Amino acid sequence: MADSSRTELAYVKEPLWGTTPAAALTRLRFTGESLGYTIATTSSSEVRADRQVPDLIQTGASAAGSVNLELSYGAYDTLIESALFSAWSTPVAVSIADDIAASNASSAFTSTSTDFTAAGIQTGQWVKVGGFAANSGENNGLYRVTGIAANSLSVSPAPASDEGAAGLSVTIGGSMIRNGVSETSLTLEKAFTDIGQYIAFTGMVADSMDLQIQTGRVLTGSFGFMGAKAAIAGTTVGSGPAVPALSNPVLNAVNNIGQVMEGGAALSGVFLQSLSISLANGLRGIGAVGALGNVDIGSGRCQVTGRASFYFADGALYEKYLNGTATSLSFRVTDADGNAYVFTLPKVRLTRGSIAAGGPDQDVMADFQFQAVRDPASGATLQIDRLAA
């Protein structure tokens, strides 16, 4: 009999929807899953004198289910591509000696020969800067790009101090993804290794992505999928052994949550208790005469909603709720090795707000529900930056 603790999940990106490539699969870290293939049946209405049902006919089918996880850097980047209908940008890879300086007054990094417009950097992107030395490297760190010119990269926050380029080898890196319209489908396979059985699900597209941050807990999440077909076999659909999953540490809400920003400014004097973000793609299975199961997947609108709970100390956010004022939300998670993600919702509408004293001897919480909408400046609803150590 199969034991759940002997189960493995693996995935591979498909070159064509529903087609598994001849390639090795990559193992997927998970805490639970519900992937399955549901077949719809119709009972025959034929009347028989012996009162029996003559047959049960298969009339529809759909592959669907979810994968639950604990967030770690790099382990789910391909699944994020599927959820956001987009692809990670080509990593920025600037590395040059004696050329890039820091300017506090101009809130920028400047250069003599480096052309920042040719480096693949985009306005609104977060980048990781390294190589500065003054005051123990106070100008190194993460910055949001606010403007790009040939020899000037405007950033926020401003570099801590002015620092010349001489004798320094400065690096700038980063990659990001914004929600888009390009579908990424996967073949997902679950292996019951103790009994040698493999179930492969093809054409799987992420219909949803959820992330939860809660005080005193690890960061958890899930991806929900919809796809084409399922097949069971005694061997994997992959070519050769599966590629091991990345082993970066699990992120938590105690040591790994960095800067939380609202309205473009870091929270000050206001503390976050919990935050959840949910993305829904509104996928629909497309059936056709002559086919059991979906022949394609249709996509709906990208809708990003969430909830945030703050210890009540300031009325500014509640005032934005009352006035219908748009804001933005951004938070950073960094693991013990220095790898980081920055999640940004550049334009947010608060859809519900509540501040209540629920009873004696309790903290007063300010609870908000929100929906992210398209930001005209970036053209995005959700942006995720990844910044390697």
Side-chain angles (χ1 to χ4, degrees), residues 30-55:
F30 73 106
T31 60
E33 57 85 19
S34 61
L35 300 173
Y37 190 62
T38 302
I39 298 176
T41 57
T42 300
S43 177
S44 172
S45 298
E46 181 180 328
V47 177
R48 290 181 54 90
D50 60 7
R51 303 188 304 112
Q52 298 187 73
V53 176
D55 204 356

Side-chain angles (χ1 to χ4, degrees), residues 77-90:
D77 287 356
T78 301
L79 278 63
I80 290 173
E81 287 187 328
S82 184
L84 268 66
F85 274 60
S86 190
W88 293 96
S89 64
T90 302

Side-chain angles (χ1 to χ4, degrees), residues 110-185:
T110 60
S111 71
T112 300
S113 61
T114 299
D115 184 354
F116 293 115
T117 64
I121 303 172
Q122 299 183 52
T123 301
Q125 179 176 358
W126 286 81
V127 293
K128 186 170 187 175
V129 177
F132 287 99
N135 299 323
S136 301
E138 65 179 359
N139 288 323
N140 299 326
L142 304 187
Y143 295 88
R144 184 173 62 86
V145 176
T146 58
I148 308 170
N151 301 116
S152 179
L153 189 69
S154 299
V155 295
S156 177
S161 61
D162 293 341
E163 188 171 357
L168 301 177
S169 183
V170 173
T171 60
I172 301 176
S175 176
M176 74 167 182
I177 186 171
R178 290 170 174 164
N179 58 288
V181 297
S182 300
E183 181 183 280
T184 296
S185 65

Side-chain angles (χ1 to χ4, degrees), residues 334-350:
T334 307
D335 68 20
D337 298 325
N339 302 300
Y341 286 118
V342 181
F343 294 81
T344 302
L345 284 65
K347 186 175 181 180
V348 169
R349 296 286 187 183
L350 301 171

Side-chain angles (χ1 to χ4, degrees), residues 238-263:
S239 299
V243 177
L246 294 178
S247 58
N248 292 314
V250 171
L251 294 156
N252 66 75
V254 179
N255 302 318
N256 302 137
I257 299 296
Q259 190 177 61
V260 179
M261 302 179 70
E262 183 273 319

Side-chain angles (χ1 to χ4, degrees), residues 347-365:
K347 186 175 181 180
V348 169
R349 296 286 187 183
L350 301 171
T351 58
R352 183 170 296 180
S354 173
I355 302 173
D361 307 319
Q362 298 178 12
D363 297 309
V364 176
M365 306 304 299

